[in-house]
Amino acid sequence: MLRAADLRVTRPRLAVLSAVHAHPHADTESVIGAVRGDLPKVSHQAVYDSLRALTAAGLLRRIQPSGSVARYESRTGDNHHHVVCRSCGAIADVDCAEGEAPCLTASDDRGYLIDEAEVVYWGLCPACSTAHSS
């Protein structure tokens, strides 16, 4: 994947890719913790640089729901959306609402050539809604 994206293959990049694949929607601190399981001496900066390079290359996607820190996922290129729990902060993927990307047609595009739509659904996850109704 790295070579196909014209990126040099490094141990930190491989470890970051692996961590994000294993932990979708992980924040940076969680990624650092997971990477240090494989590379105990990796620096914060190496992880940040890897996240930046992998995101710029399209191998990872950075999301930041309102009120949340940045999170990373490996599901890219399909313009999916997210549902976020207002109580515990859990995040899950939601497929496109309708059709192909950008999957939502603006009522007035104001002359913009739209190539992506970002939708975040908010509510309570099943565990929190059960706890809330108890």
Side-chain angles (χ1 to χ4, degrees):
M1 288 171 50
L2 293 169
R3 287 187 184 107
D6 289 327
L7 291 175
R8 208 166 39 94
V9 177
T10 65
R11 291 186 71 204
R13 286 178 180 167
L14 289 171
V16 167
L17 267 178
S18 177
V20 175
H21 276 273
H23 307 284
H25 311 119
D27 63 16
T28 307
E29 290 303 314
S30 299
V31 173
I32 290 170
V35 167
R36 284 193 171 153
D38 293 332
L39 302 173
K41 295 183 181 181
V42 73
S43 69
H44 279 71
Q45 192 61 49
V47 174
Y48 280 104
D49 290 347
S50 295
L51 286 168
R52 193 174 310 112
L54 295 168
T55 301
L59 298 178
L60 296 181
R61 181 177 176 198
R62 180 184 186 274
I63 63 168
Q64 190 168 8
S66 180
S68 175
V69 297
R71 296 174 179 271
Y72 295 88
E73 63 183 352
S74 58
R75 185 176 169 187
T76 63
D78 65 351
N79 198 42
H80 68 279
H81 308 301
H82 298 94
V83 59
V84 180
C85 180
R86 290 186 187 278
S87 181
C88 70
I91 300 174
D93 292 338
V94 177
D95 287 330
C96 220
E98 178 181 317
E100 305 271 328
C103 79
L104 296 177
T105 304
S107 60
D108 182 356
D109 62 19
R110 306 281 183 166
Y112 284 68
L113 179 58
I114 298 172
D115 61 7
E116 183 178 357
E118 186 172 314
V119 175
V120 177
Y121 300 96
W122 294 87
L124 294 176
C125 69
C128 290
S129 64
T130 301
H132 183 71
S133 65
S134 297

